[in-house]
């Protein structure tokens, strides 16, 4: 048994958002769940996050563990803090993070003009901690998430000498963080780094590219997406680099936090329920219909959507198919935020189909739970989906996922084809390719299944019996960290 199996492994996780402190999407859920999930694997994970206003507000107790006189034009501190039930390092740099809007964009929706500096700073601080800058926590592995932390492996590489192992996780390859080349020295990157074997990417500084180039291990959030991003169709320009690093690329499925997403204890639901008491869902369905202005019809098949409104999520397909989806009295309950055009189109559909389409635009945690607990089927027609979390929540809440067969949706849902139904293992409905016709076909299958309530219930129960928690993924991450730490230490010793 190696030393790494015996003593706790220290891992620094670097992410631009973390649930329950600050969340714009699934990355926050994963970053927030990992530290707790890994504790049972003998891994001590500390997360480093930027000190946005929401983060500073949620700090319950804090100690200043490091000060910078100048970090990209202002003073900064690292706080070792407790917040939202997590142990964190918070980078308190008001000139970079103390502003309204989301972590990435202004209140008007424009990228913050200094995003390069804001997230380079996060990565530089991660590298400083990785190199032993904080005596109280010396990481064996630095785990960077997405482009915002992508420079961390690069800074660690250019520091030279002994360093921790590095892991880069891709939650969405569509977001790559490209910035002008003239920023190179300002971002404290060596002149020689602006090459194809460094941080250069199509004439820019590529934050995600840098992470993919320098990390010891690359993961993404499902095995199928790990394959897809190595193809020209799925790699969005980075597939060539990923193919050259294929041996260190793997996919680890996400889980969901089973305490946050538990229909038996969920405080947001009108009625709590479990696998043996599915009847109680009808109370939630009625409450959802009332909240969103849908007709109070217990027999209407209610399709739910909980999603960012973006090209990725394929909701334009749903708009196109609305007439047939709603033709026989079915209903749509949608919660989403993002693209203004999609929002306008769904808003208009509420007047065209009063009582059949109910939407809320914005971010609403409680409504997300109510849609999972009160609708009958959850639509996820994504064009690509690295893992997807809402279909996992749906399974846990007895909502039948109807999903595109891509990425993690392909890996987590078992399609109700005849064989799977006969074997008693089906959990949802998949369609492929991602076209209006195939989506329409899947909706028709859902309606046929809905008329056979016994089969519908069997699918619900199968979904509710599926393990969608973090236990298995946490084991995979722990294993990965141990190999990564061992190889980094043997490379530098
Ligand atoms: N308007 C709203 N109000 C309240 N809650 C809302 C909401 N819109 C979305 N949510 C919640 O945000 C999360 C979305 O997570 P997803 O994994 O489905 O997508 P996302 O594309 O953001 O994440 C990316 O990262 C994750 C994590 O790796 C991958 O699973 C995914 O495939 C990838 O695209 C869910 O917890 C959902 O309930």
């Amino acid at each position: 048994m190696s030393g790494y199996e015996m003593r706790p492994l220290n891992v620094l996780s670097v992410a631009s958002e973390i649930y329950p402190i600050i969340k714009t999407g699934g990355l926050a859920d994963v970053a927030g769940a990992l530290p707790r999930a890994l504790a049972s694997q003998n891994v001590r994970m500390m997360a480093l996050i930027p000190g946005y206003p929401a983060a500073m507000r949620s700090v319950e107790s804090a100690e200043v563990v490091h000060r910078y006189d100048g970090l990209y034009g202002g003073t900064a501190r690292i706080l070792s803090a407790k917040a939202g039930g997590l142990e964190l390092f918070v980078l308190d740099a008001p000139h970079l993070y103390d502003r309204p809007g989301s972590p990435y964009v202004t209140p008007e929706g424009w990228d913050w003009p200094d995003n390069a500096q804001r997230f380079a700073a996060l990565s530089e601080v991660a590298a400083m901690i990785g190199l032993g800058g904080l005596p109280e926590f010396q990481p064996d592995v630095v785990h960077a998430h997405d482009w915002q932390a992508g420079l961390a492996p690069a800074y660690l590489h250019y520091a030279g000498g002994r360093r921790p192992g590095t892991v880069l996780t891709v939650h969405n390859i569509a977001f790559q963080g490209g910035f002008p080349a003239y920023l190179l020295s300002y971002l404290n990157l060596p002149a020689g780094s602006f090459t194809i074997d460094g941080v250069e990417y199509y004439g820019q500084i590529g934050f995600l590219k840098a992470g993919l180039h320098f990390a010891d291990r690359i993961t993404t959030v499902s095995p199928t997406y790990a394959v897809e991003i190595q193809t020209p169709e799925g790699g969005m320009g980075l597939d060539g680099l990923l193919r050259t690093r294929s041996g260190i690329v793997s996919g680890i499925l996400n889980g969901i936090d089973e305490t946050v997403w538990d229909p038996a204890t969920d405080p947001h639901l009108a009625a709590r329920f479990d696998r043996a008491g599915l009847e109680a869902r009808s109370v939630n369905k009625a409450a959802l219909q009332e909240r969103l202005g849908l007709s109070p019809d217990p027999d209407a098949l209610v399709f739910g959507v909980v999603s960012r409104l973006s090209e990725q999520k394929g909701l334009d397909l749903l708009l196109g198919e609305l007439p047939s989806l709603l033709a026989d009295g079915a209903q749509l309950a949608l919660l989403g935020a993002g693209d203004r055009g999609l929002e306008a189109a769904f808003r208009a559909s509420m007047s065209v189909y009063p009582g059949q389409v109910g939407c809320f635009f914005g971010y609403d945690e409680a409504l997300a739970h109510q849609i999972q607990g009160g609708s009958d089927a959850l639509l996820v027609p994504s064009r690509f989906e690295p893992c997807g979390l809402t279909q996992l929540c749906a399974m846990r809440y007895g909502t039948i996922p109807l999903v595109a067969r891509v990425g993690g949706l392909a890996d987590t849902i078992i399609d109700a084809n005849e064989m799977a139904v006969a074997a008693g293992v089906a959990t949802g409905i998949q369609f492929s390719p991602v076209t209006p016709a195939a989506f329409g076909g899947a909706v028709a299958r859902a309606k046929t299944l809905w008329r056979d309530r016994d089969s519908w219930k069997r699918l619900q129960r199968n979904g509710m019996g599926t393990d969608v928690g973090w236990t298995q993924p946490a084991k995979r991450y722990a294993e990965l960290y141990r190999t990564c730490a061992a190889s980094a230490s043997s490379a530098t010793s």
Side-chain angles (χ1 to χ4, degrees):
M1 194 187 271
S2 83
Y4 286 107
E5 284 164 82
M6 303 181 57
R7 70 169 177 84
L9 203 70
N10 282 349
V11 178
L12 179 72
S13 166
V14 193
S16 55
E17 47 186 275
I18 192 163
Y19 180 87
I21 295 165
I22 175 97
K23 167 168 163 175
T24 71
L27 163 63
D29 292 304
V30 175
L34 273 177
R36 209 174 329 147
L38 282 156
S40 60
Q41 299 299 318
N42 206 21
V43 172
R44 177 164 184 238
M45 177 175 273
M46 289 286 289
L48 169 68
I49 61 160
Y52 312 116
M56 298 309 290
R57 275 196 306 273
S58 50
V59 166
E60 292 144 23
S61 63
E63 185 193 338
V64 179
V65 290
H66 196 83
R67 287 178 197 276
Y68 289 93
D69 291 336
L71 183 71
Y72 292 104
T75 57
R77 312 179 299 170
I78 302 175
L79 309 178
S80 171
K82 286 201 169 40
L86 298 162
E87 271 192 280
L88 298 167
F89 290 126
V90 180
L91 176 55
D92 178 25
H95 60 295
L96 298 176
Y97 307 123
D98 182 13
R99 36 182 101 165
S102 96
Y104 318 115
V105 298
T106 66
E108 295 73 38
W110 303 103
D111 285 355
W112 290 111
D114 56 350
N115 270 348
Q117 293 88 316
R118 296 172 73 230
F119 295 108
L122 182 72
S123 299
E124 271 188 76
V125 169
M128 183 279 288
I129 300 173
L131 294 169
L134 300 182
E136 57 271 64
F137 188 76
Q138 302 202 1
D140 299 292
V141 173
V142 172
H143 184 173
H145 298 271
D146 275 352
W147 73 263
Q148 293 88 353
L151 285 186
Y155 287 126
L156 283 164
H157 167 84
Y158 290 119
R162 196 179 166 82
R163 63 163 179 85
T166 50
V167 176
L168 188 277
T169 293
V170 179
H171 294 267
N172 192 335
I173 207 154
F175 301 114
Q176 304 187 346
F179 297 99
Y182 66 78
L183 289 172
L184 195 74
S185 62
Y186 188 52
L187 300 182
N188 298 315
L189 289 162
S193 67
F194 199 67
T195 70
I196 192 163
D197 288 321
V199 303
E200 188 272 341
Y201 183 59
Y202 291 108
Q204 291 199 306
I205 304 170
F207 279 32
L208 184 62
K209 184 262 162 127
L212 294 176
H213 182 78
F214 288 111
D216 298 323
R217 295 285 186 284
I218 296 167
T219 73
T220 183
V221 287
S222 69
T224 293
Y225 196 58
V227 173
E228 289 171 350
I229 56 176
Q230 297 182 55
T231 66
E233 301 75 42
M236 301 194 178
L238 287 163
D239 48 292
L241 168 58
L242 283 160
R243 282 194 300 277
T244 65
R245 308 214 68 206
S246 181
I248 55 124
V249 178
S250 62
I252 302 180
L253 277 176
N254 289 330
I256 53 170
D257 187 325
E258 292 169 306
T259 55
V260 175
W261 293 100
D262 182 358
T265 58
D266 192 328
H268 302 300
L269 297 184
R272 284 165 267 287
F273 61 95
D274 60 18
R275 199 163 169 238
L278 282 167
E279 312 71 45
R281 291 186 98 259
S282 59
V283 178
N284 295 322
K285 182 165 173 173
L288 179 66
Q289 287 170 322
E290 193 184 339
R291 172 152 185 201
L292 290 178
L294 297 168
S295 310
D297 177 358
D299 289 322
L301 170 52
V302 177
F303 291 100
V305 171
V306 178
S307 184
R308 288 187 295 110
L309 301 179
S310 72
E311 162 86 11
Q312 173 194 347
K313 302 293 180 180
L315 294 169
D316 49 314
L317 253 66
L318 165 57
L319 272 173
E321 290 301 305
L322 261 189
S324 58
L325 185 117
L326 302 171
D328 44 11
Q331 301 180 352
L332 175 68
L334 177 140
L335 166 63
D339 184 281
R340 303 223 164 126
L342 281 171
E343 185 176 319
F346 279 110
R347 197 181 291 286
S349 72
M350 289 198 282
S351 347
V352 179
Y353 302 102
Q356 273 191 284
V357 176
C359 304
F360 180 84
F361 303 105
Y363 185 87
D364 189 323
E365 190 81 24
L367 184 55
H369 286 245
Q370 288 151 6
I371 289 180
Q372 295 288 8
S375 52
D376 300 300
L378 187 89
L379 302 174
V380 196
S382 306
R383 292 199 162 76
F384 68 94
E385 195 60 77
C387 178
L389 299 172
T390 57
Q391 83 280 13
L392 304 179
C393 302
M395 279 197 276
R396 191 145 162 79
Y397 278 59
T399 311
I400 305 300
L402 187 162
V403 307
R405 190 182 294 123
V406 295
L409 301 172
D411 293 340
T412 53
I413 303 301
I414 301 176
D415 180 61
N417 60 45
E418 272 185 46
M419 296 295 274
V421 170
V425 295
T427 55
I429 294 172
Q430 291 183 326
F431 67 94
S432 173
V434 187
T435 58
F439 175 65
V443 168
R445 285 176 64 205
K447 290 185 175 183
T448 308
L449 196 65
W450 175 245
R451 286 191 284 272
D452 173 2
R453 295 302 159 85
D454 288 340
S455 301
W456 189 272
K457 263 199 195 117
R458 270 197 296 280
L459 249 66
Q460 288 181 296
R461 294 214 176 92
N462 291 346
M464 292 182 89
T466 302
D467 178 5
V468 292
W470 272 104
T471 310
Q472 292 309 321
K475 285 186 185 153
R476 302 270 327 270
Y477 276 111
E479 211 174 290
L480 178 88
Y481 295 147
R482 283 179 213 287
T483 359
C484 183
S487 58
S489 78
S490 62
T492 51
S493 56

